Amino acid sequence: MASNAPIGVFDSGLGGISVVREIRRQMPNERIIYFGDSANAPYGTKTPEKVRRLSFAIVERFVRLGVKAIVIACNTATSAAVDDLRATYDLPIISMEPALKVACDRGNGTPQRVIVAATPLTLREKKFTALMHRFSATNTIYRQPCPDLVEIVEHDRLEDHELVMATLHRYFDGYDLGSIDSVVLGCTHFVFYRDYFRQLLPASTAIIDGNEGTARHLHDLLEASDELTDPTAVGSVTLQNSDTSERMAALAAKRLDF
Ligand code: DGL
């Protein structure tokens, strides 16, 4: 039977709003409650234990609100907590990992050279190491931590072209970018930088993120359990944040309309 219960989506801060935008595009009738943990951002430079604790607190909150599914719109929280969360809660939990498979599959058998841009925690956790091992025998994969790209979004500096480009150059100038087939945006905050990456990278380098696949996976799971909302329902997004300032509310609303 159709379920009009909301979907809970969370991230360490504002990055997961890029996922909400994609869910809205694919499922405009759904009700979404978004929780950004900006008071505790960034997660990517914390310990896995700390990120796990923070993630459990958010999921508890969603369970109290009666959500029908949870999307961890955060590669970092996925690395640290998804297995324990799934073992604890009996509801669909959709998670994110850097879209390395998509990047490698583009080669159709030709070895690919791929940079995975993500947080330090994502790149050093077991989950990513296991993912990388699946593809590294036949492809060349570079891990590039970019923690400052999270801070720039959280501090509302995304429109500061000079700062953003200088930061990207600092992280990527060491590569021979002309030889790179794709850059994977393995952190949901980085999806907001797509146009900047386009300026940095040669036209032949693809920019890949996991947002579309994540929203599709959510749709398919809800469809399979007959829990998509009634098609006549009016969709909505409620933005919540652990930083309850008006500045943060305005910033979150700005990213949703980005
Ligand atoms: N947006 C998050 C991710 O996808 C993490 C950013 C952070 O708090 O470090 O990994």
Short mmCIF file of all heavy atoms in Angstrom, two decimals, residues 11-12 42-44 73-76 119 122 150 186-189, ligand 1:
data_model
loop_
_atom_site.label_atom_id
_atom_site.label_comp_id
_atom_site.label_asym_id
_atom_site.label_seq_id
_atom_site.Cartn_x
_atom_site.Cartn_y
_atom_site.Cartn_z
N ASP A 11 22.98 14.43 6.38
CA ASP A 11 24.40 14.62 6.05
C ASP A 11 25.05 15.36 7.21
O ASP A 11 24.36 15.88 8.10
CB ASP A 11 24.51 15.46 4.76
CG ASP A 11 25.95 15.76 4.37
OD1 ASP A 11 26.80 14.86 4.47
OD2 ASP A 11 26.24 16.91 3.96
N SER A 12 26.38 15.44 7.17
CA SER A 12 27.10 16.20 8.20
C SER A 12 26.75 17.68 8.16
O SER A 12 27.04 18.40 9.11
CB SER A 12 28.60 16.06 7.95
OG SER A 12 28.91 16.65 6.70
N PRO A 42 32.91 19.57 10.12
CA PRO A 42 32.88 18.44 9.19
C PRO A 42 32.99 17.09 9.90
O PRO A 42 33.55 17.03 10.99
CB PRO A 42 34.13 18.69 8.34
CG PRO A 42 35.10 19.35 9.27
CD PRO A 42 34.25 20.20 10.19
N TYR A 43 32.44 16.06 9.26
CA TYR A 43 32.61 14.69 9.75
C TYR A 43 33.93 14.09 9.23
O TYR A 43 34.50 13.20 9.86
CB TYR A 43 31.48 13.79 9.23
CG TYR A 43 30.15 13.87 9.96
CD1 TYR A 43 29.89 14.83 10.95
CD2 TYR A 43 29.12 12.97 9.64
CE1 TYR A 43 28.66 14.88 11.59
CE2 TYR A 43 27.90 13.01 10.28
CZ TYR A 43 27.66 13.96 11.25
OH TYR A 43 26.44 14.00 11.88
N GLY A 44 34.36 14.56 8.09
CA GLY A 44 35.46 13.90 7.37
C GLY A 44 36.80 13.94 8.06
O GLY A 44 37.72 13.21 7.69
N ALA A 73 22.93 10.70 3.09
CA ALA A 73 23.42 11.48 1.95
C ALA A 73 24.83 11.98 2.24
O ALA A 73 25.14 13.16 2.07
CB ALA A 73 22.46 12.63 1.65
N CYS A 74 25.66 11.07 2.68
CA CYS A 74 26.98 11.41 3.18
C CYS A 74 27.88 10.18 3.05
O CYS A 74 27.62 9.16 3.69
CB CYS A 74 26.86 11.83 4.65
SG CYS A 74 28.42 12.26 5.42
N ASN A 75 28.88 10.28 2.21
CA ASN A 75 29.80 9.15 2.02
C ASN A 75 30.56 8.85 3.31
O ASN A 75 30.88 7.70 3.60
CB ASN A 75 30.81 9.49 0.92
CG ASN A 75 30.16 9.70 -0.43
OD1 ASN A 75 30.12 8.80 -1.25
ND2 ASN A 75 29.62 10.88 -0.68
N THR A 76 30.83 9.89 4.08
CA THR A 76 31.63 9.74 5.29
C THR A 76 30.85 8.99 6.36
O THR A 76 31.37 8.05 6.98
CB THR A 76 32.05 11.14 5.79
OG1 THR A 76 32.63 11.86 4.71
CG2 THR A 76 33.04 11.04 6.93
N THR A 119 36.38 12.86 1.46
CA THR A 119 36.93 13.34 2.73
C THR A 119 38.05 12.39 3.19
O THR A 119 38.10 11.23 2.77
CB THR A 119 35.84 13.39 3.83
OG1 THR A 119 35.45 12.06 4.17
CG2 THR A 119 34.64 14.20 3.39
N THR A 122 36.53 9.06 4.59
CA THR A 122 36.02 8.14 3.56
C THR A 122 37.17 7.40 2.89
O THR A 122 37.13 6.18 2.70
CB THR A 122 35.22 8.92 2.48
OG1 THR A 122 34.09 9.53 3.09
CG2 THR A 122 34.75 8.00 1.36
N VAL A 150 34.62 21.13 1.92
CA VAL A 150 33.47 21.02 2.84
C VAL A 150 33.31 22.34 3.59
O VAL A 150 32.21 22.92 3.66
CB VAL A 150 33.67 19.85 3.83
CG1 VAL A 150 32.52 19.78 4.83
CG2 VAL A 150 33.80 18.53 3.07
N GLY A 186 33.27 12.20 -4.55
CA GLY A 186 32.90 11.21 -3.54
C GLY A 186 32.51 11.81 -2.21
O GLY A 186 32.70 11.19 -1.15
N CYS A 187 31.96 13.00 -2.26
CA CYS A 187 31.45 13.69 -1.07
C CYS A 187 30.32 14.57 -1.56
O CYS A 187 30.47 15.26 -2.59
CB CYS A 187 32.56 14.55 -0.45
SG CYS A 187 31.98 15.71 0.81
N THR A 188 29.19 14.53 -0.87
CA THR A 188 28.02 15.23 -1.41
C THR A 188 28.20 16.75 -1.43
O THR A 188 27.56 17.43 -2.23
CB THR A 188 26.75 14.83 -0.63
OG1 THR A 188 27.01 14.97 0.78
CG2 THR A 188 26.38 13.39 -0.93
N HIS A 189 29.06 17.28 -0.58
CA HIS A 189 29.35 18.72 -0.65
C HIS A 189 29.97 19.09 -2.00
O HIS A 189 29.80 20.20 -2.49
CB HIS A 189 30.32 19.13 0.46
CG HIS A 189 29.72 19.27 1.81
ND1 HIS A 189 29.38 18.20 2.59
CD2 HIS A 189 29.43 20.38 2.56
CE1 HIS A 189 28.88 18.63 3.75
NE2 HIS A 189 28.91 19.95 3.75
N1 DGL B 1 29.11 15.45 2.76
C1 DGL B 1 29.86 14.44 3.40
C2 DGL B 1 30.24 13.30 2.47
O1 DGL B 1 29.54 13.02 1.53
C3 DGL B 1 30.94 14.78 4.37
C4 DGL B 1 31.49 16.14 4.57
C5 DGL B 1 32.18 16.31 5.91
O2 DGL B 1 31.47 16.63 6.87
O3 DGL B 1 33.40 16.14 6.01
O4 DGL B 1 31.20 12.62 2.69
#
